[in-house]
Amino acid sequence: MLDLQNKRKYLKSAESFKASLRDDRTVIYQGQVVEDVTTHFSTAGGISQVAEIYEEQFSGEHDDILTYVRPDGYLASSAYMPLETKKTWRRDAAQSRTSRKKPGAPTAATWT
C-alpha cells in the first residue's frame, strides 16, 4: 500500500469545512437570521454529519471509498472524481452505504 499520510494536502478537514460555512451568506430560518449555520439547531446536525465524512478522509480507514489518487500522486475527495467506469460507480455506491451506517444519516438508493 502507498504511504498516503503525507499526500492529503487537498483534503478538507471537518473544521475547515465548517469554517467555510462561516462567511457572509445570509440564512433565514422561520423569519429569523441564522448567525452561525454550524451551531444553529436547524442546520447543525446535517453539517456535523457531512463534517464527519470530511474527517474520515484523514483516518486512512476508508481511503478506497472516500478518496482517490490524483495524477500528481496526492489524494483528493472522491466527490470530485469523474464517474468513468463501473468500478467508479460501485465505489460511489459503497460510499453512499458507508455514510448511511451512521444513526440519523440521510438515506440514498442502494446501487448494485
Side-chain angles (χ1 to χ4, degrees):
M1 183 175 174
L2 296 170
D3 175 22
L4 298 174
Q5 285 309 112
N6 296 320
K7 298 283 187 177
R8 298 179 189 277
K9 76 177 188 176
Y10 293 112
L11 297 178
K12 188 179 282 190
S13 69
E15 192 49 45
S16 64
F17 164 67
K18 288 181 179 182
S20 74
L21 299 175
R22 295 183 190 110
D23 57 11
D24 293 334
R25 72 186 78 203
T26 301
V27 176
I28 307 292
Y29 176 75
Q30 295 186 346
Q32 301 293 317
V33 174
V34 174
E35 296 297 327
D36 183 351
V37 295
T38 66
T39 60
H40 192 271
F41 75 92
S42 67
T43 53
I47 289 170
S48 291
Q49 287 180 347
V50 172
E52 285 178 26
I53 293 171
Y54 275 105
E55 203 57 36
E56 285 180 13
Q57 295 177 128
F58 289 91
S59 73
E61 186 177 345
H62 302 291
D63 278 346
D64 59 329
I65 297 171
L66 298 177
T67 63
Y68 75 100
V69 180
R70 296 165 27 126
D72 63 4
Y74 286 95
L75 289 177
S77 172
S78 60
Y80 299 109
M81 182 178 182
L83 298 177
E84 298 171 346
T85 65
K86 271 189 172 182
K87 182 179 178 182
T88 313
W89 282 93
R90 286 189 183 111
R91 187 217 55 239
D92 280 13
Q95 181 178 8
S96 176
R97 286 190 297 274
T98 299
S99 66
R100 286 197 323 254
K101 289 180 182 176
K102 298 189 181 305
T107 59
T110 303
W111 299 26
T112 55

